[in-house]
Amino acid sequence: MLDDRHDVPANALRPAARVMRLRRMGASFPTRLSFLRTLLRRLSREGAQVSRPVWQMDAAGFGHAVYSVGLGGHTYSLVAVSTDLPPDQRTDRVIATAWDTAYVLYDGVPTEAEVARIVATAPRQEAARFTDRDLVLSRANKSVRLFSHVVEALKAGRQPDADLVRDTGYLMRTTAVYGNGKFGIADRSRIADRLGLDGPFMAEMLTVWLIRGFTHDLVEHVGGATLDIGLKRHLGIGNSTGLGMAPFLVSHPMLLNAWITARETALARVRAVEFLTSAQIEDLYRLTMRAAQHLAEWNVVDCIGQSRIDRMRQEWPQVAALMTPEVMAGAFPADRLMRVAETFSADTQECLAALLIEPFGELVDDLVDDMATDRRARLDPSMLGTDLAALIDQEWAWAICDYEAPAACHQFWYVSQSKAEPRLGLRHSEPGGELESPLDIARQVCRLAADIRADEKVADLLARCPEHRTAVRRVQALATAPYAEIRDNLIGEDCLPIDMLRCKLSFFGAAKFDPKSDRWTRITLCQGAPLADELDHADDWWLPTFAP
């Protein structure tokens, strides 16, 4: 079959009923369509240069700096502020009020007066006032052990311990990267049509990449020496992400559909390639070895997470064994590999899918243009009840169950007043169920199904039962946006929010997920990414490995 918009040969996309299950979403890996990869390709194509017009840091590394870069015909500047934070005030929680460093991505090159304003306000974060020239607001804390070790090593005239650098992977970790009008900064509409920032989370990704460069400069400044280039490339930006991110995929169904559709279309195009070139075959062999090394370096304390990694380590040599010269030189090798791999775990399958997409930039990179969307789910009031019921039978059968059963309504989502972020409560043992957030999409659709009358239009149904408005809209939308819904019960006993987090973070470009429970994880962004002076070869860092 042909892809309708681009007239590019493509296999059928994998069915949403399979792709959108939580377990498979929680096996997601970054791909060349991930947002960081897209951003750095753009910077590379434009020959972007990063300058540092301001560096006012004392010997201990406290002060401020400004970094400027051109992108899409505009200039953006990161204003970085480093402060002396007492150890007892250092916390990664979103409710913290002080951090080691604070940042603003500024629209343009700030004047001295604007720099002074940001230096005074950025460390206060949510408590400060900002302008529509401030595009992104962020903060980060040091990985104290590694940062101090690197400084001490450089001061002593040696490089830091490679194993410690490998195992930690970052000098600082962000605790928030805010965009889109939060706390008075610029709305996305200000930059949504600008080349380079028109894709999802591009301003935030630019901020993270520039912060990463600042952390390198800061540790070298305090240490008084230059960090080894291999170690520097391996040092990305850490992040601790919890339940606050999980509801995003539920509240932005059309955006989720756009992201998954792009990835699945990329895979479908690659599976439709009849014969590989020798260069593509060599790339796939090289990337298969890289993935094996990545898995060998990836260790976590979480039992579930480590068991999945262990199984991938067992299965990956079998994947490599499938890539015989006969298969790779034969017809439709990618499709053949994906079909055989269906016997492996979801994690191994998704890693293989990401790998197969990697060497085909010319074939798939245009898909990133469709990953930002202003599409909204529209309600059709003229639809008959029979047609609405048919949609539920076709796409929502998994949602129909007895939600009075304890296992089916085991959890409830709410927003903590004290911690100002989403939380999960246990319905049958904890108070607060009356404060539940409406993330129970499956239960809402089940209740809708029970109230449908075959000969009644949706308009009349909603006049009679207005509480079903959201469910009707989502049911109707799924008919044309098949990847818009997580096809699992998000209040059920088996729901692991970590799977939702990993899916979203993989689109950011995160790797080496380090879950600390089923509700929050640490990640590393920009690990292995090109440095500011390496953008001429910006696109070969899928699944970073340690190469000092």
Side-chain angles (χ1 to χ4, degrees):
M1 63 182 294
L2 296 179
D3 177 275
D4 292 336
R5 190 171 73 85
H6 298 285
D7 198 34
V8 176
N11 283 15
L13 273 60
R14 294 190 294 179
R18 181 184 183 197
V19 171
M20 300 307 294
R21 299 301 301 271
L22 271 177
R23 174 64 183 89
R24 187 167 294 273
M25 293 173 70
S28 299
F29 282 85
T31 72
R32 66 177 300 111
L33 304 182
S34 297
F35 308 144
L36 270 168
R37 296 283 301 279
T38 300
L39 170 71
L40 291 181
R41 280 198 300 271
R42 177 85 195 199
L43 290 169
S44 178
R45 287 197 305 271
E46 295 189 5
Q49 300 288 323
V50 178
S51 64
R52 196 182 72 185
V54 177
W55 182 264
Q56 294 189 15
M57 293 286 169
D58 65 20
F62 305 126
H64 67 273
V66 177
Y67 294 77
S68 295
V69 61
L71 175 63
H74 295 264
T75 300
Y76 304 100
S77 299
L78 179 79
V79 182
V81 185
S82 174
T83 55
D84 187 3
L85 181 66
D88 61 352
Q89 294 185 32
R90 184 176 291 108
T91 174
D92 288 348
R93 298 298 301 276
V94 72
I95 56 173
T97 57
W99 304 267
D100 285 311
T101 56
Y103 309 89
V104 165
L105 183 70
Y106 185 83
D107 188 2
V109 179
T111 63
E112 288 187 13
E114 283 287 79
V115 170
R117 173 185 66 82
I118 293 171
V119 168
T121 57
R124 298 172 59 204
Q125 295 282 294
E126 296 97 320
R129 292 183 180 271
F130 297 92
T131 77
D132 62 358
R133 298 294 295 272
D134 305 325
L135 303 180
V136 177
L137 178 65
S138 185
R139 65 277 189 116
N141 285 330
K142 294 172 182 172
S143 174
V144 177
R145 180 187 176 203
L146 182 60
F147 196 96
S148 298
H149 168 75
V150 174
V151 167
E152 292 170 3
L154 294 179
K155 284 184 174 180
R158 53 182 172 79
Q159 290 297 312
D161 180 76
D163 289 341
L164 187 57
V165 171
R166 178 197 63 209
D167 294 342
T168 304
Y170 54 82
L171 293 166
M172 291 191 190
R173 56 183 174 270
T174 60
T175 67
V177 183
Y178 294 123
N180 196 25
K182 292 277 282 188
F183 312 119
I185 62 177
D187 288 333
R188 174 168 166 76
S189 59
R190 181 180 176 93
I191 59 172
D193 295 329
R194 294 188 187 179
L195 294 178
L197 294 189
D198 47 347
F201 292 97
M202 286 295 108
E204 291 87 343
M205 295 300 101
L206 178 59
T207 302
V208 169
W209 183 67
L210 291 172
I211 290 174
R212 181 238 197 169
F214 167 71
T215 68
H216 297 165
D217 288 354
L218 187 65
V219 81
E220 290 181 337
H221 171 78
V222 180
T226 301
L227 193 60
D228 174 82
I229 193 71
L231 298 178
K232 191 183 293 189
R233 287 195 195 103
H234 188 75
L235 289 169
I237 283 292
N239 177 266
S240 296
T241 297
L243 290 176
M245 181 177 282
F248 182 93
L249 298 183
V250 183
S251 57
H252 295 79
M254 293 298 128
L255 195 58
L256 176 62
N257 179 74
W259 296 359
I260 302 294
T261 298
R263 187 194 68 192
E264 292 302 307
T265 302
L267 179 60
R269 288 180 179 181
V270 172
R271 293 179 73 167
V273 173
E274 185 171 5
F275 294 106
L276 302 179
T277 67
S278 58
Q280 288 166 342
I281 293 172
E282 288 302 315
D283 273 348
L284 289 171
Y285 283 149
R286 178 176 58 86
L287 292 169
T288 301
M289 295 176 62
R290 182 190 296 179
Q293 183 180 347
H294 180 88
L295 293 175
E297 295 175 2
W298 185 14
N299 294 288
V300 301
V301 297
D302 179 72
C303 294
I304 295 176
Q306 188 61 49
S307 67
R308 294 179 180 179
I309 296 169
D310 290 342
R311 184 169 178 185
M312 287 190 69
R313 288 172 177 168
Q314 295 170 359
E315 293 176 339
W316 200 249
Q318 301 173 55
V319 171
L322 294 172
M323 298 181 177
T324 63
E326 292 76 19
V327 168
M328 301 304 282
F332 303 106
D335 184 62
R336 184 173 177 180
L337 289 170
M338 286 300 298
R339 290 181 184 275
V340 176
E342 290 179 2
T343 60
F344 298 137
S345 65
D347 303 273
T348 298
Q349 292 176 44
E350 296 309 307
C351 187
L352 176 61
L355 180 149
L356 291 173
I357 293 170
E358 187 63 23
F360 293 92
E362 293 184 0
L363 184 64
V364 306
D365 284 353
D366 65 299
L367 293 167
V368 303
D369 295 337
D370 293 330
M371 294 180 78
T373 180
D374 56 5
R375 182 182 175 190
R376 297 290 184 268
R378 303 288 183 185
L379 192 148
D380 178 6
S382 66
M383 178 179 282
L384 286 174
T386 51
D387 295 329
L388 186 63
L391 288 179
I392 294 175
D393 289 342
Q394 181 179 345
E395 300 292 348
W396 295 84
W398 56 271
I400 308 302
C401 71
D402 177 13
Y403 286 94
E404 297 302 318
C409 62
H410 181 71
Q411 306 178 98
F412 65 94
W413 294 82
Y414 68 99
V415 176
S416 167
Q417 184 176 8
S418 61
K419 299 184 173 57
E421 55 187 0
R423 284 286 181 264
L424 266 178
L426 302 181
R427 191 180 307 275
H428 306 296
S429 59
E430 296 179 2
E434 70 278 3
L435 303 175
E436 183 169 8
S437 301
L439 300 185
D440 57 332
I441 305 302
R443 183 173 62 176
Q444 291 179 42
V445 171
C446 184
R447 290 172 174 172
L448 164 66
D451 284 339
I452 293 175
R453 295 175 182 172
D455 58 349
E456 185 177 55
K457 290 185 177 181
V458 162
D460 297 319
L461 164 65
L462 294 181
R464 180 169 54 86
C465 304
E467 68 273 14
H468 294 321
R469 188 177 188 87
T470 297
V472 169
R473 183 183 291 111
R474 297 186 83 115
V475 168
Q476 291 179 334
L478 202 61
T480 57
Y483 300 109
E485 296 289 348
I486 300 169
R487 303 198 182 204
D488 268 302
N489 175 16
L490 302 185
I491 60 172
E493 187 174 36
D494 296 331
C495 172
L496 299 180
I498 192 73
D499 292 330
M500 301 163 69
L501 301 180
R502 178 160 168 180
C503 178
K504 184 180 178 184
L505 291 166
S506 72
F507 280 99
F508 286 2
K512 290 187 179 174
F513 298 87
D514 183 12
K516 299 305 180 182
S517 74
D518 64 7
R519 301 185 180 192
W520 74 282
T521 184
R522 284 184 177 161
I523 59 165
T524 305
L525 293 165
C526 299
Q527 192 171 68
L531 306 174
D533 58 355
E534 296 179 324
L535 287 172
D536 55 337
H537 49 92
D539 207 30
D540 186 22
W541 51 287
W542 177 72
L543 289 195
T545 55
F546 187 61

